Amino acid sequence: TQAISTDSDFAAGQRWRFRSFYVDEFQDVTLTQLRLLQAWVGDRKELVVVGDPGQAIFGWNGAEPEFLTRFDAWFPGATQVTL
């Protein structure tokens, strides 16, 4: 995440290469993965995540279901659809 945060040419190349994101099982994302995703996405809106906080199983690995339940805090302006 440091390179994409500090090198604007590298960041532009990565954001061009990875223009949209879909993340499944978002309830099992770690803080490092979340920060990398935020850096990749930047100020764009092309992001879809899916998850169920009741199925979080990777807490032992640093995963936080709160990244899903508080998604709008990490990605302001996001639309949440609950099924």
Side-chain angles (χ1 to χ4, degrees):
T1 60
Q2 182 178 356
I4 201 168
S5 299
T6 60
D7 184 334
S8 60
D9 290 335
F10 178 74
Q14 291 301 302
R15 290 180 182 140
W16 177 85
R17 183 174 178 203
F18 301 101
R19 294 179 202 144
S20 59
F21 291 90
Y22 172 82
V23 181
D24 194 12
E25 304 295 341
F26 199 79
Q27 75 275 0
D28 288 321
V29 167
T30 66
L31 181 58
T32 300
Q33 292 168 325
L34 176 66
R35 288 185 175 159
L36 178 58
L37 183 62
Q38 287 177 310
W40 260 332
V41 171
D43 61 355
R44 297 171 298 155
K45 304 291 184 198
E46 293 83 8
L47 172 63
V48 173
V49 304
V50 177
D52 179 351
Q55 294 185 7
I57 60 171
F58 288 102
W60 59 270
N61 197 31
E64 294 286 342
E66 288 80 22
F67 297 146
L68 177 63
T69 59
R70 299 194 61 236
F71 187 78
D72 58 343
W74 298 99
F75 296 93
T79 301
Q80 180 177 341
V81 178
T82 304
L83 302 176

